[in-house]
């Protein structure tokens, strides 16, 4: 799916701003034919939860309605008008003037609908019915209880099966854009680098009649470095073109270079559609315990993150994104994982521009039932209970369709901390690994991020992954306060992984300790700023001693909101920064460490 851009043939209008909002007591209250009554005014995009200053609404689980007017000029003959949502958490139905125009399930990916035949010139009413409900068939996974009253009305109680607050609503930008009836629907770009030259292959999906495609590649100085034209009696909806680029300048981590691909569609010499896409040329390969970018052994330094900020909740906040990436760059970091869901498209373009390397994750988190019972080895089997397969396939297809052309994306993560140690995990994940590989034209590596309980001996999924990605908390959840024992346990576990899967590199995609800002001790006391450093220092020492460990991503960049519980102190405090982005002592320690580790060739 293409990102909406204004060009000679397309115009984009933002619908962000202040909308009407109403949480519904019962679904039956909803009547799309009637304008909303008794509503709040609320900002879009943003999560609704922290805007309304009301405890019940903050923790509300159920359905809600957003509404606004659309004042429009008459749609021109031969034009498409498309309404596009960056993301709505988690399920949404869209109505125009009371008539349903589309439905979407899956909260972290964009969806769009053509509305030129539904709207009229002048005033229209746009209504969104949505819910934040999660269960054993959705991603992420939630524990949902439905409570029926005597009149048959249903209310909900939702317990997140994951460690972040279930912020919801219209969390990403809403746009209205136009194209002509002939338009570029999709483009997939791959590149083959050979010495100083590269051959770009482009697959175009086109709708409507045309007789000429012109594809041009521009460098950063805006000089055209290559072009190819395809003419004839064509009315094909799929076209593949190849374009050579000579003396190619590669996209490198922290030294990014982006070409721009411009596509123009014509009929009878009349321009019908024009579209631009930035594109970085680089190679990715996993070989002999190494993660190679542009043929060179890369070392991942960075964080697992969250889209999480005060008041916006999980709502799009580009200033925070820009701040976070600049801060990470200053610290010598070069990468992050989109834990635990696809991030906003604008963040992915920013990562391309700033040269960050991204592990791109689908919202498959919480695929583990009865965690507490599992610790005593008497829980029911997760895979007998999960009904997430179709949501999972959908998320993988849509994530790759959205992010396939990003240079920053170097690996797909198809789940975070699923119960991969339980029987049935192999059968569940085998088709999903295959699907990911089939969908990605760039054939990037694919991984699954492992939970501590899924030890090397018990795990049933990592054999299918290209890179062993471990979330490990030695000295925190295991051996808290006892770093000597923790170190031995970590060493032992690592060796088991490489013995079982020789040749696969290892990345620690999570490791860390909670630290309450301002809490200090001269002793090794969990929750202090000092202990957070001691623990991470110990794990770093073990990582440094193994050539096959090719990356470290600390959990987490910043403190973030979670559901309430006795193990959380107003959220998860494993950040190197507070939620408000003030540094803990760890941030300075990491900066010193990462500045001394090169992006390439560490341990080589
Ligand atoms: C994990 C999860 C992450 C949690 C983290 C923690 O392993 O992947 O979502 O927030 O542990 O702090 O417990």
């Amino acid at each position: 799916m293409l990102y909406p851009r204004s060009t000679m043939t397309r115009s984009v209008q933002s619908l962000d701003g202040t909308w009407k909002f109403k949480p519904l007591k019962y679904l039956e209250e909803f009547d799309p034919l009637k304008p909303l009554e008794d509503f709040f005014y609320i900002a879009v995009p943003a999560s609704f939860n922290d805007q309304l200053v009301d405890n019940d609404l903050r923790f509300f689980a159920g359905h809600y309605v957003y509404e606004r007017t659309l004042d429009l000029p008459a749609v021109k003959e031969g034009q498409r008008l498309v309404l596009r949502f960056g993301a709505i958490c988690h399920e949404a139905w869209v109505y125009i003037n009371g008539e349903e125009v589309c439905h979407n399930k899956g909260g972290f990916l964009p969806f769009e609908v053509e509305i030129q035949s539904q709207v009229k010139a002048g005033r229209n009413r746009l209504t969104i019915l949505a819910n934040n409900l999660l269960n054993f068939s959705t991603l992420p996974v939630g524990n949902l209880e439905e409570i029926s009253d005597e009149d048959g009305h249903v209310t909900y109680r939702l317990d997140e099966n994951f460690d972040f607050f279930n912020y919801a609503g219209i969390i990403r930008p809403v746009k209205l854009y136009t194209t002509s009836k002939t338009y570029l629907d999709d483009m997939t770009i791959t590149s083959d680098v050979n010495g100083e030259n590269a051959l770009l292959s482009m697959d175009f999906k086109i709708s409507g009649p045309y007789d000429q495609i012109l594809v041009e590649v521009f460098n950063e100085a805006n000089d055209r470095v290559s072009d190819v034209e395809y003419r004839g009696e064509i009315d094909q909806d799929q076209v593949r073109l190849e374009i050579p680029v000579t003396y190619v300048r590669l996209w490198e981590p922290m030294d990014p270079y982006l070409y721009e691909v411009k596509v123009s569609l014509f009929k009878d010499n009349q321009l019908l559609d024009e579209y631009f896409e930035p594109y970085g040329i680089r190679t990715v390969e996993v070989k002999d315990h190494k993660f190679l970018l542009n043929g060179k052994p890369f070392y991942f330094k960075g964080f697992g993150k969250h889209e999480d900020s005060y008041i916006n909740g999980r709502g799009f906040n580009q200033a925070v994104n820009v701040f976070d990436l600049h801060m990470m760059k200053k610290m010598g970091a070069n990468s992050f994982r989109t834990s635990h869901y696809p991030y906003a498209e604008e963040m992915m373009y920013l990562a391309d521009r700033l040269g960050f390397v991204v592990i791109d994750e689908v919202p498959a988190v919480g695929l583990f039932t009865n965690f507490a019972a599992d610790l005593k080895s008497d829980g029911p089997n997760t895979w007998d209970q999960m009904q997430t397969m179709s949501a999972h396939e959908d998320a993988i297809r849509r994530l790759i369709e959205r992010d396939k052309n990003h240079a920053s994306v170097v690996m797909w993560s198809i789940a975070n901390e699923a119960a991969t140690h339980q029987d049935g995990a192999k059968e569940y994940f085998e088709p999903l690994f295959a699907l990911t590989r089939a969908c990605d034209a760039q054939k990037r590596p694919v991984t699954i991020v492992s939970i501590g309980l899924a030890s090397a001996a018990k795990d049933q999924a990592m054999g299918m992954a290209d890179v062993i990605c471990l979330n490990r908390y030695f000295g925190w959840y295991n051996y808290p306060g006892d770093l000597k024992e923790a170190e031995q346990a970590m060493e032992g576990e690592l060796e088991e992984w490489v013995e079982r899967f020789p040749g696969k590199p290892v990345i620690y995609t999570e490791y860390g300790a909670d630290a309450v800002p301002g809490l200090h001790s001269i002793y090794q006391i969990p929750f202090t700023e000092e202990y957070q450093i001691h623990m991470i220092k110990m794990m770093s020492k073990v990582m440094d001693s193994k050539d096959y460990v090719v990356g470290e991503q600390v959990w987490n960049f910043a403190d973030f909101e979670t559901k309430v519980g006795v193990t959380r102190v107003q959220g998860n405090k494993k950040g190197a920064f507070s939620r408000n982005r003030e540094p803990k002592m760890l941030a300075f320690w990491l900066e010193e460490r990462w500045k001394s580790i090169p992006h390439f060739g560490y341990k080589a």
Side-chain angles (χ1 to χ4, degrees):
M1 178 185 279
L2 299 180
Y3 184 70
R5 294 181 200 288
S6 284
T7 69
M8 298 253 286
T9 60
R10 297 173 173 230
S11 67
V12 182
Q13 182 191 341
S14 166
L15 298 182
D16 297 346
T18 311
W19 292 45
K20 293 172 182 168
F21 174 80
K22 182 177 183 175
L24 299 178
K25 205 162 166 208
Y26 311 117
L27 182 55
E28 291 76 11
E29 280 176 59
F30 178 61
D31 182 354
L33 296 172
K34 289 199 193 124
L36 211 53
E37 285 173 2
D38 304 324
F39 48 81
F40 297 93
Y41 284 106
I42 193 174
V44 168
S47 301
F48 66 79
N49 309 73
D50 287 353
Q51 294 189 58
L52 301 168
V53 199
D54 180 301
N55 195 63
D56 290 344
L57 295 180
R58 180 173 205 261
F59 296 99
F60 173 81
H63 293 85
Y64 32 88
V65 182
Y66 282 84
E67 188 190 279
R68 63 162 287 157
T69 51
L70 279 183
D71 289 311
L72 300 172
V75 181
K76 286 192 205 121
E77 186 62 31
Q79 232 182 23
R80 293 166 69 235
L81 183 64
V82 184
L83 177 60
R84 188 185 196 273
F85 298 90
I88 300 182
C89 283
H90 295 283
E91 182 172 14
W93 295 259
V94 180
Y95 299 81
I96 293 197
N97 300 325
E99 195 187 321
E100 185 179 332
V101 292
C102 77
H103 166 243
N104 179 68
K105 205 164 176 180
F108 297 100
L109 288 162
F111 63 98
E112 61 180 32
V113 56
E114 271 185 39
I115 57 166
Q116 67 275 1
S117 47
Q118 266 82 25
V119 293
K120 51 184 196 264
R123 181 145 296 183
N124 296 270
R125 185 159 41 87
L126 170 60
T127 313
I128 320 288
L129 170 70
N131 71 52
N132 57 357
L133 304 176
L134 296 170
N135 58 29
F136 281 10
S137 72
T138 62
L139 293 182
V141 175
N143 303 286
L144 187 66
E145 204 184 320
E146 299 191 0
I147 306 145
S148 298
D149 70 10
E150 289 152 9
D151 303 324
H153 293 311
V154 178
T155 53
Y156 303 92
R157 201 170 296 140
L158 176 66
D159 175 22
E160 296 95 325
N161 208 34
F162 44 84
D163 186 34
F164 52 93
F165 191 74
N166 186 29
Y167 279 117
I170 304 183
I171 60 162
R172 293 187 188 151
V174 185
K175 288 173 181 162
L176 205 51
Y177 71 92
T178 61
T179 73
S180 53
K181 287 270 156 96
T182 290
Y183 65 99
L184 181 66
D185 194 12
D186 198 16
M187 68 196 282
T188 306
I189 314 175
T190 57
S191 44
D192 204 359
V193 180
N194 196 350
E196 287 183 323
N197 305 322
L199 187 65
L200 306 191
S201 301
M202 306 193 190
D203 284 292
F204 300 105
K205 212 168 132 202
I206 295 159
S207 237
Y210 64 99
D211 59 18
Q212 187 193 351
I213 309 177
L214 175 65
V215 182
E216 297 156 282
V217 179
F218 294 86
N219 64 15
E220 284 191 356
N222 212 24
D223 299 322
R224 189 164 65 175
V225 293
S226 193
D227 66 281
V228 53
E229 205 179 311
Y230 184 77
R231 265 178 203 277
E233 286 302 307
I234 40 177
D235 195 2
Q236 281 166 255
D237 59 2
Q238 309 267 0
V239 175
R240 164 169 263 237
L241 295 179
E242 292 191 331
I243 303 198
V245 176
T246 49
Y247 302 110
V248 66
R249 173 134 174 223
L250 297 178
W251 184 96
E252 295 257 38
M254 291 299 129
D255 182 20
Y257 192 87
L258 292 174
Y259 291 90
E260 186 170 65
V261 176
K262 178 179 167 193
V263 184
S264 313
L265 300 175
F266 300 85
K267 179 139 179 81
D268 303 328
N269 290 322
Q270 192 199 337
L271 178 67
L272 295 181
D273 196 17
E274 184 184 78
Y275 190 78
F276 305 92
E277 180 77 341
Y279 184 73
I281 301 173
R282 51 105 189 86
T283 66
V284 183
E285 195 188 354
V286 173
K287 210 166 115 188
D288 305 334
H289 285 308
K290 293 193 168 60
F291 197 100
L292 303 172
L293 285 183
N294 298 332
K296 300 177 290 186
F298 177 70
Y299 192 79
F300 292 75
K301 301 177 280 177
F303 295 99
K305 288 185 92 287
H306 263 299
E307 289 187 320
D308 176 275
S309 62
Y310 279 111
I311 302 173
N312 289 58
R314 190 144 293 110
F316 176 62
N317 192 335
Q318 190 69 340
V320 167
N321 290 340
V322 168
F323 175 92
D324 287 2
L325 293 196
H326 279 124
M327 180 55 79
M328 283 163 60
K329 192 170 171 178
K330 181 177 170 298
M331 296 170 77
N334 56 24
S335 67
F336 64 93
R337 175 169 62 117
T338 71
S339 39
H340 298 306
Y341 37 80
Y343 288 2
E345 292 153 279
E346 294 77 2
M347 178 61 149
M348 306 309 286
Y349 283 109
L350 189 65
D352 288 343
R353 286 264 167 235
L354 299 184
F356 275 87
V357 166
V358 179
I359 302 175
D360 206 358
E361 188 159 279
V362 293
V365 57
L367 291 153
F368 191 153
T369 57
N370 297 82
F371 188 83
D374 185 273
L375 292 174
K376 292 187 231 131
S377 308
D378 65 353
N381 180 293
T382 297
W383 308 108
D384 290 342
Q385 295 181 297
M386 281 298 137
Q387 295 148 32
T388 42
M389 185 54 100
S390 92
H392 212 144
E393 289 170 345
D394 187 57
I396 288 174
R397 277 198 201 99
R398 287 171 63 186
L399 176 66
I400 297 177
E401 196 182 309
R402 192 193 77 161
D403 287 353
K404 62 193 168 190
N405 294 328
H406 286 287
S408 54
V409 176
V410 300
M411 180 154 67
W412 308 107
S413 160
I414 64 168
N416 179 73
E417 300 204 344
T420 52
H421 56 306
Q422 293 180 5
D423 286 342
K426 180 163 188 287
E427 291 71 17
Y428 181 86
F429 281 109
E430 205 157 33
L432 297 177
F433 273 101
L435 176 69
T436 311
R437 293 189 168 109
C439 288
D440 184 21
Q442 287 194 15
K443 303 292 168 219
R444 294 164 177 92
V446 185
T447 193
I448 181 163
V449 171
S450 150
I451 188 165
L453 287 166
S455 61
K458 290 191 198 152
D459 177 85
Q460 304 189 15
M462 204 54 89
M464 296 177 275
D466 296 295
V467 176
I468 300 171
C469 285
L470 303 178
N471 291 355
R472 292 298 184 267
Y473 290 89
F474 292 103
W476 189 255
Y477 295 121
N478 312 102
Y479 311 100
D482 187 346
L483 293 179
K484 284 201 188 97
E485 283 287 331
E487 183 174 338
Q488 276 183 12
M490 180 179 172
E491 286 256 8
E493 201 221 5
L494 247 183
E495 278 159 22
E496 282 174 32
W497 280 106
V498 285
E499 249 168 54
R500 182 158 171 214
F501 300 115
K504 290 191 193 205
V506 177
I507 298 175
Y508 279 89
T509 33
E510 282 184 28
Y511 62 111
D514 288 76
V516 178
L519 204 62
H520 297 285
S521 175
I522 51 170
Y523 305 109
Q524 296 201 352
I525 308 283
F527 290 103
T528 59
E529 291 199 32
E530 287 80 3
Y531 187 77
Q532 190 182 30
I533 297 181
H534 292 312
M535 187 258 185
I536 286 182
K537 205 173 179 176
M538 179 280 286
M539 287 194 64
S540 305
K541 188 177 116 194
V542 178
M543 293 177 210
D544 282 342
S545 67
K546 314 283 177 196
D547 290 353
Y548 50 77
V549 175
V550 300
E552 53 188 68
Q553 292 186 330
V554 169
W555 189 255
N556 187 288
F557 174 75
D559 295 347
F560 56 93
E561 198 57 289
T562 61
K563 65 180 176 185
V564 293
V566 291
T567 59
R568 294 290 174 256
V569 191
Q570 204 184 41
N572 188 309
K573 291 277 184 284
K574 293 193 186 69
F577 293 82
S578 68
R579 195 176 186 215
N580 213 13
R581 273 61 182 168
E582 283 138 357
K584 299 183 195 171
M585 285 163 57
L586 174 67
F588 299 101
W589 186 85
L590 287 173
E591 177 168 353
E592 212 177 307
R593 171 173 168 78
W594 286 341
K595 279 189 170 156
S596 70
I597 296 178
H599 304 310
F600 289 107
Y602 185 48
K603 303 177 185 177

